[in-house]
């Protein structure tokens, strides 16, 4: 889809449908909606008067213009109350409107700067429109042979006041396109079935991303992991016929800072010998969503070119119960020399991350942000609305919290109090990989903390947010691509 900014009278924009905004408390058309209303002999106002248009968030009312304006339809988007409007509401509103218009056959869609009459900055709006439209129209069709029911939307036109504004908005749109394309790349990878997204496939996807963006990508094999002493990654990989891969991606933007992004790349999590129940096990093809987020974030960073160095690390393996698999009770030595008792082979993400975080320290990366579909306990705590975040350094986390407000990808901080550490003491090794049932997201984070030491570090548990079970706002059924945009925004804010 092409996204262009243009100027002109909104009733004369050449498109199949034009999207305008309306608010809950005003109860009638204002701004662009009022201009359209005038040409349509008060149709919008009548519908609002009759209570058919309420202006509530998520509401989209499509009205045919019957030749009175160039766009054949207008879509009136409910934005809620003016005081509550945020760029994230704009993202959701444009996504809902674009999907509604696509299903009625629209290929070329126009939109005004939704939310700007409520006081939002127009550049923020332009970026949000681009992101919301791309994310909301996303479809994963690689494995379906069925014909499309409707054509793809191939153009989005955003209407600006004048040429000076148009130039400003176009650069915000371009940033939005880069952000959303990256989130869609992460979705594409995480939506793939496990047989099409093995560790080798993940490595190939990273190499392809590198070739397209100029990021230097190196893929290491088992021999290298043995030299590095990566007992955690090698231990998890033992139960699978698929060879493990360790993916290293380097972006050199200059300056003194060198940040690290680390993602869990379990391309299928059967649980290993501590095997999972079969119900919903297929969802564990998405257990590489953290790794996919890192590969995708690196692509956006390469395109946005911030003056900072960033290295992305993705340990990738399947977690399978093959004959060679590690067993509950086994002990291994991680790359940083710590010994770990594997009480439960299904707590495998923390084992591969133990080595990846140790390697991040060897490279002296700082700060380090890791992303992982780590614990069911995080889902129990926070549901699917926000990701859990943890840190050993509040300043580092504050950067991420701010970035998450910008992107609308909600996060919530959970504690890392020392008292929880008791739970992962082992009788026979330095540490064990699971604690008690309660507080499981926290003990998992504390386990990771053992391998990052004093380096400022943030851990994002996306178990609850990696996928969506319905189309809602700019999320569509399947992988969400969370928290790609937040990672990129956080890196940009470190410059
Ligand atoms: N990949 C899972 C966590 C997960 C669960 C992600 C649901 C997404 C949705 C992880 O490897 C796992 O199995 N964790 C166990 C840990 C337990 C054995 C301590 C869990 O959360 O049940
Ligand atoms: Zn597991
Ligand atoms: Zn897992």
């Amino acid at each position: 889809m092409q996204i262009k900014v243009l100027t002109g009278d909104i009733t004369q924009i050449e498109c199949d449908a034009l999207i305008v905004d309306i608010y809950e408390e005003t109860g009638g058309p204002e701004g662009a909606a009022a201009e359209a209303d005038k040409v349509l002999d008060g149709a919008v106002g009548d519908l609002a008067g009759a209570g058919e248009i309420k202006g509530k968030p998520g509401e989209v009312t499509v009205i045919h213009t019957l030749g009175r304006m160039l766009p054949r339809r207008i879509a009136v988007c409910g934005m809620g109350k003016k005081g509550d409007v945020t760029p994230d509401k704009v993202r959701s509103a444009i996504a809902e409107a674009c999907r509604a218009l696509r299903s009625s056959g629209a290929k070329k869609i126009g939109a005004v700067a939704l939310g700007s009459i409520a006081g939002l900055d127009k550049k923020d709006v332009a970026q949000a429109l681009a992101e919301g439209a791309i994310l909301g129209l996303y479809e994963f069709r690689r494995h379906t042979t069925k014909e499309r029911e409707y054509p793809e939307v191939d153009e989005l036109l955003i209407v600006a006041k004048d040429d000076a504004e148009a130039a400003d908005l176009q650069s915000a749109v371009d940033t939005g396109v880069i952000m959303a394309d990256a989130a869609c790349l992460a979705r594409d990878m995480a939506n793939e079935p496990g047989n099409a997204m093995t560790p080798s496939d993940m490595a190939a996807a990273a190499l392809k991303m590198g070739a397209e963006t100029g990021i230097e990508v190196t893929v290491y094999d088992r021999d290298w992991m043995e030299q590095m002493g990566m007992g955690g990654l090698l231990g998890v990989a033992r139960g699978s016929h698929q060879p493990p891969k360790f993916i290293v991606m380097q972006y050199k933007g200059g300056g003194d800072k060198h940040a690290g992004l680390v993602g869990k790349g379990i391309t299928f999590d059967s649980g290993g010998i501590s095997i999972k129940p079969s119900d919903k096990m297929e969802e564990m093809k998405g257990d590489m969503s953290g790794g996919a987020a890192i590969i995708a974030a690196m692509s956006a960073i390469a395109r946005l070119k911030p003056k900072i160095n960033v290295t992305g690390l993705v340990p990738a393996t399947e977690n399978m119960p093959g004959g060679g698999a590690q067993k509950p009770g086994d002990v291994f030595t991680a790359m940083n020399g710590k010994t770990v008792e594997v009480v439960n082979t299904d707590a495998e993400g923390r084992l591969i991350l133990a080595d990846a975080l140790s390697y991040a320290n060897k490279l002296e990366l700082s700060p380090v942000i890791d992303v992982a579909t780590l614990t069911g306990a995080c889902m129990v705590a926070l549901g699917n609305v926000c990701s859990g975040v943890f840190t050993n350094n509040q300043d580092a986390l504050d950067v991420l919290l701010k970035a998450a407000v910008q992107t609308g990808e909600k996060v919530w901080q959970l504690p890392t109090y020392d008292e929880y550490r008791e739970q992962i003491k082992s009788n026979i090794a330095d540490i064990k990989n699971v604690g008690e049932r309660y507080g499981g997201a926290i003990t998992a984070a504390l386990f990771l903390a053992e391998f990052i030491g004093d380096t400022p570090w943030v851990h994002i548990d996306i178990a609850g947010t990696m996928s969506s079970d319905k189309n809602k706002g700019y999320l569509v059924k399947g992988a969400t691509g969370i928290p790609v945009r937040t990672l990129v925004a956080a890196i940009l804010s470190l410059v």
Side-chain angles (χ1 to χ4, degrees), residues 123-160:
K123 282 172 75 175
D124 292 346
V125 168
Q127 184 176 337
L129 288 174
E131 291 174 354
I134 294 171
L135 293 169
L137 289 170
Y138 172 87
E139 293 175 302
F140 184 70
R141 298 183 49 90
R142 270 207 53 200
H143 300 283
T144 175
T145 57
K146 256 201 309 201
E147 286 285 308
R148 311 182 65 85
E149 284 170 24
Y150 35 72
E152 278 182 86
V153 175
D154 45 37
E155 234 176 318
L156 176 67
L157 307 171
I158 297 173
V159 190

Side-chain angles (χ1 to χ4, degrees), residues 300-382:
I301 292 165
R303 295 197 161 109
L304 292 167
K305 299 190 176 59
K307 287 198 169 50
I308 182 172
N309 305 302
V310 186
T311 294
L313 305 175
V314 179
T317 176
E318 286 185 335
N319 185 25
M320 296 291 281
Q326 65 180 352
K327 305 170 292 298
D330 283 1
V331 173
F332 72 86
T333 304
M335 186 187 157
N336 73 343
K338 287 198 182 176
T339 59
V340 179
E341 181 187 4
V342 181
V343 170
N344 188 318
T345 65
D346 195 12
E348 83 298 338
R350 64 198 77 182
L351 307 183
I352 67 168
L353 288 172
D355 287 329
L357 293 172
S358 304
Y359 190 65
N361 264 348
K362 183 181 153 75
L363 298 182
E364 299 183 354
L365 309 179
S366 177
V368 171
I369 306 175
D370 83 66
V371 184
T373 46
L374 205 63
T375 66
C378 193
M379 279 173 98
V380 173
L382 301 173

Side-chain angles (χ1 to χ4, degrees), residues 264 266 269 276 284 287 319 346 348-349 373-374:
K264 170 177 171 179
I266 295 288
D269 183 10
K276 288 180 180 296
M284 284 300 111
D287 211 20
N319 185 25
D346 195 12
E348 83 298 338
T373 46
L374 205 63

Side-chain angles (χ1 to χ4, degrees), residues 263-311:
K264 170 177 171 179
I266 295 288
T267 60
F268 187 75
D269 183 10
S270 70
I273 296 296
S274 313
I275 199 159
K276 288 180 180 296
S278 52
D279 186 39
K280 301 256 172 80
M281 201 204 262
E282 74 281 5
E283 291 178 2
M284 284 300 111
K285 69 175 188 175
D287 211 20
M288 35 56 75
S289 298
I294 303 306
I295 295 171
M298 293 300 292
S299 78
I301 292 165
R303 295 197 161 109
L304 292 167
K305 299 190 176 59
K307 287 198 169 50
I308 182 172
N309 305 302
V310 186
T311 294

Side-chain angles (χ1 to χ4, degrees), residues 167-349:
D168 267 2
L169 300 194
Q170 187 66 54
S171 85
V173 162
D174 295 345
T175 304
V177 170
I178 291 172
M179 289 284 207
D181 280 351
C184 291
L185 171 63
R187 287 179 179 182
D188 278 345
M189 293 179 72
N191 280 327
E192 283 291 358
N195 60 335
M197 192 45 66
T198 62
S200 302
D201 293 320
M202 238 186 142
L207 286 165
K208 178 164 178 274
M209 180 281 295
E212 285 166 4
T213 59
I215 294 233
E216 201 179 302
V217 180
T218 314
V219 177
Y220 294 106
D221 292 318
R222 210 189 294 263
D223 289 349
W224 178 88
M225 294 165 207
E226 269 157 18
Q227 279 165 34
M228 286 292 142
M230 293 186 161
L233 178 54
L234 288 164
V236 174
R238 269 172 37 198
S240 168
H241 290 300
Q242 291 292 337
K245 302 285 168 185
F246 193 93
I247 305 165
V248 180
M249 295 161 282
Q250 275 180 292
Y251 166 74
K252 294 175 185 148
D256 312 329
K257 286 191 190 151
H258 195 164
L261 299 176
V262 180
K264 170 177 171 179
I266 295 288
T267 60
F268 187 75
D269 183 10
S270 70
I273 296 296
S274 313
I275 199 159
K276 288 180 180 296
S278 52
D279 186 39
K280 301 256 172 80
M281 201 204 262
E282 74 281 5
E283 291 178 2
M284 284 300 111
K285 69 175 188 175
D287 211 20
M288 35 56 75
S289 298
I294 303 306
I295 295 171
M298 293 300 292
S299 78
I301 292 165
R303 295 197 161 109
L304 292 167
K305 299 190 176 59
K307 287 198 169 50
I308 182 172
N309 305 302
V310 186
T311 294
L313 305 175
V314 179
T317 176
E318 286 185 335
N319 185 25
M320 296 291 281
Q326 65 180 352
K327 305 170 292 298
D330 283 1
V331 173
F332 72 86
T333 304
M335 186 187 157
N336 73 343
K338 287 198 182 176
T339 59
V340 179
E341 181 187 4
V342 181
V343 170
N344 188 318
T345 65
D346 195 12
E348 83 298 338

